[in-house]
Amino acid sequence: QVQLVESGGGLVQPGGSLRLSCAASGFAFSNHPLSWYRQAPGKEREWVAVISSASSVTRYADSVKGRFICTRDNAKNTLYLQMNSLKFEDTALYYCGLEKDGRDYWGQGTQVTVSQ
């Protein structure tokens, strides 16, 4: 009954910003690290960011480092991805991900399109 529901995607111009959210339920949210992934057409799924359970550690892919910020609010069971200085190559379907008890869980994704 794990549920991960992404939202906040949309169409944005290059250089713009967007904030994605992932609403989670069905598990002990505060006990697990959470990740963001993305997948563009014709490309493999790419890891974007990870955040530890208490937000003490965050890691980012080189492609987004310095532009994206991953945060979480354990009281709201919500994961966020603040995306700044967006580029054409950031266009993708963005997913939040959870690894729990040896299984991987994904949301349905939210589309981010960077275009003039």
Side-chain angles (χ1 to χ4, degrees):
Q1 63 252 33
V2 169
Q3 288 186 284
L4 301 167
V5 182
E6 301 92 339
S7 62
L11 178 64
V12 64
Q13 293 184 341
S17 297
L18 214 55
R19 189 193 194 199
L20 307 183
S21 298
C22 174
S25 62
F27 66 100
F29 182 87
S30 62
N31 290 349
H32 296 88
L34 291 166
S35 298
W36 285 101
Y37 289 80
R38 66 187 182 185
Q39 188 167 25
K43 300 181 69 175
E44 294 185 352
R45 184 171 295 187
E46 176 190 16
W47 171 75
V48 174
V50 63
I51 185 167
S52 62
S53 59
S55 302
S56 59
V57 177
T58 53
R59 298 284 186 268
Y60 300 91
D62 288 342
S63 58
V64 307
K65 195 173 298 181
R67 299 188 298 119
F68 290 11
I69 303 170
C70 182
T71 58
R72 65 191 292 165
D73 188 337
N74 286 346
K76 296 180 178 179
N77 283 11
T78 303
L79 175 72
Y80 303 97
L81 185 67
Q82 177 66 47
M83 306 185 297
N84 302 312
S85 302
L86 284 160
K87 305 174 180 179
F88 292 118
E89 52 263 43
D90 294 319
T91 295
L93 188 65
Y94 283 72
Y95 301 87
C96 58
L98 164 71
E99 184 176 351
K100 177 179 178 291
D101 301 327
R103 298 180 60 188
D104 295 326
Y105 299 87
W106 309 96
Q108 85 289 348
T110 186
Q111 179 66 39
V112 173
T113 302
V114 184
S115 177
Q116 292 282 13

